[in-house]
Amino acid sequence: MNTLNHFATPQLELLHRGKVRDSYRAPSGERLIVVTDRLSAFDSVLETPVAHKGAVLNGLAAFWFDKTQHIIPNHVIALLDPNVTLAKEAEPIRVEMIVRNYLTGSMWRGYQQGQRTFSGVTVPDGMTKHQQFPEPLVTPTTKEESDREITPENLVSEGWVSAELYEQMRVKSLELFNFASQWMAERGIILVDTKYEFGLLNGELILIDEIHTPDSSRFWSAEDYAQNPEAVEQMDKEYVRQWLIANKQDGQYPRALTPEVSQEASRRYLDIYERITGSPLPTGNETTSGGDVRTRLVGNLVRAGIMKDA
């Protein structure tokens, strides 16, 4: 399939190559974020890219950044291509604010092993898989080579953030989560959990990275959940995580996806984009129409004056 697994150009300074996103310095001095089709799971980038994934993530993030400007400003300047965002250069805060409304994923796996306290938040005994909490929980982690659960008190004592800044991030995270939960509920989707990342721009707290995407969030079908909570359909990257867990051998996860799993993951990314926004992904038919992601991307950056036609 036609995918964007890697992007590189000598015309632009590479600032950072992440698991999924590559950041470059734009000629204007702003940050150029290229969202690839790479897929990361369990702190590792898989060898198999997923078609349209980058455009889905970039497009959904742009959709939500626009919808939540009334809650908090963000770093977006413009979308230059379905896979590329031009963003303001902010000072990132090395903390992920994770908001959870259901007992699932890594939290459920820890709960099964007897863990009851997560990032300083204690949950009761006797809960079942995928059970909803009385209210959303904020369980922060550090942004390090491997994310680490941490209490708000330790975030402050270790110097990650001030108490005042953490409280501001906590309040905004819950506002964002509640707003998106209501939006998705009206469309038959449950926002299960998500993560937010913030930065400082001229001393002001802003939202950066991504928001409410299948990589940063879990989504369930409300109809499926009502019928069978413990077997609810996964509408996000958790589908791939579960496949990796099921195919683990000698303590190692597979490094690549089968063609069938990759295609199903792509279908799920495209489906959740359309269900949330109400419209199909504009580039969703590129594979069948013969379009080339790299050619389109470079052409758009040339037209935007970011690159020269070489």
Side-chain angles (χ1 to χ4, degrees), residues 94-96 140-144 146-150 155 158 160:
R94 302 296 181 185
V95 175
E96 286 190 355
T141 65
T142 58
K143 278 200 56 77
E144 300 174 90
S146 184
D147 296 348
R148 170 169 59 98
E149 286 185 13
I150 189 168
L155 279 173
E158 291 182 20
W160 295 91

Side-chain angles (χ1 to χ4, degrees), residues 214 217-219 234-241 268:
S217 314
R218 284 188 178 86
F219 307 116
Q234 307 284 347
M235 302 171 66
D236 50 73
K237 195 170 70 171
E238 184 66 15
Y239 162 76
V240 175
R241 291 193 193 98
R268 288 173 182 243

Side-chain angles (χ1 to χ4, degrees), residues 119-121 138 140 150-157 161-163 166 170:
S119 298
V121 177
V138 179
I150 189 168
T151 66
E153 293 77 16
N154 285 345
L155 279 173
V156 175
S157 65
V161 289
S162 67
Y166 176 79
R170 186 191 68 83

Side-chain angles (χ1 to χ4, degrees), residues 16 32 49 54 56 75 93 99 109 124 139 159 163 178 195 237 240 243 246 256 289:
H16 175 71
L32 193 75
V56 166
H75 69 166
I93 298 169
V99 183
R109 292 189 282 273
T139 57
N178 290 331
K195 61 119 176 160
K237 195 170 70 171
V240 175
W243 182 86
S289 65

Side-chain angles (χ1 to χ4, degrees), residues 4-298:
L4 182 69
N5 196 32
H6 180 79
F7 177 76
T9 172
Q11 295 189 37
L12 299 172
E13 175 192 358
L14 177 66
L15 299 175
H16 175 71
R17 193 176 300 285
K19 294 173 182 175
V20 174
R21 290 166 176 77
D22 298 335
S23 294
Y24 294 86
R25 176 70 65 214
S28 61
E30 308 292 354
R31 182 171 289 248
L32 193 75
I33 302 172
V34 179
V35 189
T36 72
D37 294 328
R38 297 193 295 267
L39 192 148
S40 168
F42 300 116
D43 290 327
S44 179
V45 177
L46 302 181
E47 296 172 0
T48 313
V50 174
H52 308 299
K53 175 178 177 290
V56 166
L57 297 185
N58 200 45
L60 266 183
F63 173 86
W64 284 114
F65 279 132
D66 180 63
K67 292 289 183 188
T68 58
Q69 289 185 80
H70 67 287
I71 297 175
I72 184 171
N74 60 70
H75 69 166
V76 174
I77 298 173
L79 260 67
L80 304 183
D81 176 86
N83 288 72
V84 182
T85 292
L86 184 66
K88 302 167 189 172
E89 188 68 71
E91 177 189 351
I93 298 169
R94 302 296 181 185
V95 175
E96 286 190 355
M97 299 295 286
I98 300 175
V99 183
R100 306 174 186 270
N101 205 19
Y102 294 79
L103 181 57
T104 189
S106 62
M107 195 176 192
W108 168 245
R109 292 189 282 273
Y111 190 90
Q112 284 180 296
Q113 296 168 5
Q115 185 178 353
R116 292 295 180 269
T117 301
F118 303 84
S119 298
V121 177
T122 300
V123 294
D125 292 329
M127 293 191 69
T128 57
K129 182 180 181 182
H130 296 171
Q131 184 175 342
Q132 186 175 10
F133 299 118
E135 58 185 25
L137 308 177
V138 179
T139 57
T141 65
T142 58
K143 278 200 56 77
E144 300 174 90
E145 187 172 334
S146 184
D147 296 348
R148 170 169 59 98
E149 286 185 13
I150 189 168
T151 66
E153 293 77 16
N154 285 345
L155 279 173
V156 175
S157 65
E158 291 182 20
W160 295 91
V161 289
S162 67
E164 294 78 12
L165 184 58
Y166 176 79
E167 179 60 15
Q168 192 178 357
M169 292 163 61
R170 186 191 68 83
V171 169
K172 290 300 179 183
S173 294
L174 289 172
E175 287 184 39
L176 291 165
F177 189 87
N178 290 331
F179 173 83
S181 293
Q182 180 62 36
W183 176 279
M184 294 192 203
E186 294 170 0
R187 289 152 181 82
I189 304 166
I190 294 174
L191 177 58
V192 181
D193 54 38
T194 194
K195 61 119 176 160
Y196 301 108
E197 295 189 35
F198 297 92
L200 294 172
L201 182 64
N202 300 323
E204 180 184 20
L205 187 71
I206 69 168
L207 193 61
I208 64 172
D209 193 59
E210 61 182 327
I211 172 176
H212 304 149
T213 73
D215 272 20
S216 67
S217 314
R218 284 188 178 86
F219 307 116
W220 291 337
S221 161
E223 182 180 1
D224 280 4
Y225 184 80
Q227 293 175 356
N228 190 344
E230 293 197 14
V232 63
E233 178 190 2
Q234 307 284 347
M235 302 171 66
D236 50 73
K237 195 170 70 171
E238 184 66 15
Y239 162 76
V240 175
R241 291 193 193 98
Q242 291 300 323
W243 182 86
L244 292 172
I245 291 171
N247 290 273
K248 194 174 184 179
Q249 293 184 358
D250 301 323
Q252 299 294 318
Y253 296 109
R255 296 289 303 125
L257 304 177
T258 65
E260 294 77 15
V261 172
S262 177
Q263 290 169 16
E264 176 61 15
S266 179
R267 184 196 70 78
R268 288 173 182 243
Y269 275 89
L270 290 169
D271 178 65
I272 196 63
Y273 178 94
E274 183 167 356
R275 291 187 64 166
I276 290 175
T277 66
S279 302
L281 183 73
T283 62
N285 64 352
E286 275 189 340
T287 301
T288 54
S289 65
D292 181 78
V293 178
R294 290 175 182 80
T295 300
R296 184 208 68 214
L297 189 156
V298 171

